[in-house]
Amino acid sequence: FNDNQTFYINTDFIGPTTLDNVCFNLSTQTYKCFPFQTNKDTIYLFNTTGDEEEGSLKLDKIKYTLVRK
């Protein structure tokens, strides 16, 4: 995550999906967003499948695992 300068947490209370996201470098054209889940001292960032507009967006495989030291 060395290339990332900023992050933004997006909590979705409405809409077709209820996935919360963390977005890195949101103000750039190369931003990346990942749905996340937490468990104690670990944050899991996921890939997704489906389409958000259709309401079929679902978690796929874990892309990154962040563990607090």
Side-chain angles (χ1 to χ4, degrees), residues 16-17 49-58:
T17 63
T49 60
D51 185 86
E52 185 173 8
E53 296 299 322
E54 294 176 3
S56 63
L57 189 67
K58 296 186 176 155

Side-chain angles (χ1 to χ4, degrees), residues 21-68:
N21 293 289
V22 58
C23 298
F24 297 96
N25 295 333
L26 190 60
S27 61
T28 69
Q29 292 184 12
T30 59
Y31 74 92
K32 301 269 188 196
C33 294
F34 300 96
F36 69 92
Q37 292 180 342
T38 60
N39 185 11
K40 299 182 183 175
D41 64 348
T42 305
I43 300 172
Y44 301 98
L45 304 181
F46 290 87
N47 285 324
T48 57
T49 60
D51 185 86
E52 185 173 8
E53 296 299 322
E54 294 176 3
S56 63
L57 189 67
K58 296 186 176 155
L59 295 179
D60 195 23
K61 296 179 181 177
I62 295 173
K63 178 77 173 177
Y64 300 103
T65 303
L66 308 173
V67 181
R68 178 184 233 175

Side-chain angles (χ1 to χ4, degrees), residues 1-5 25:
F1 290 93
N2 291 335
D3 294 336
N4 297 303
Q5 300 296 316
N25 295 333

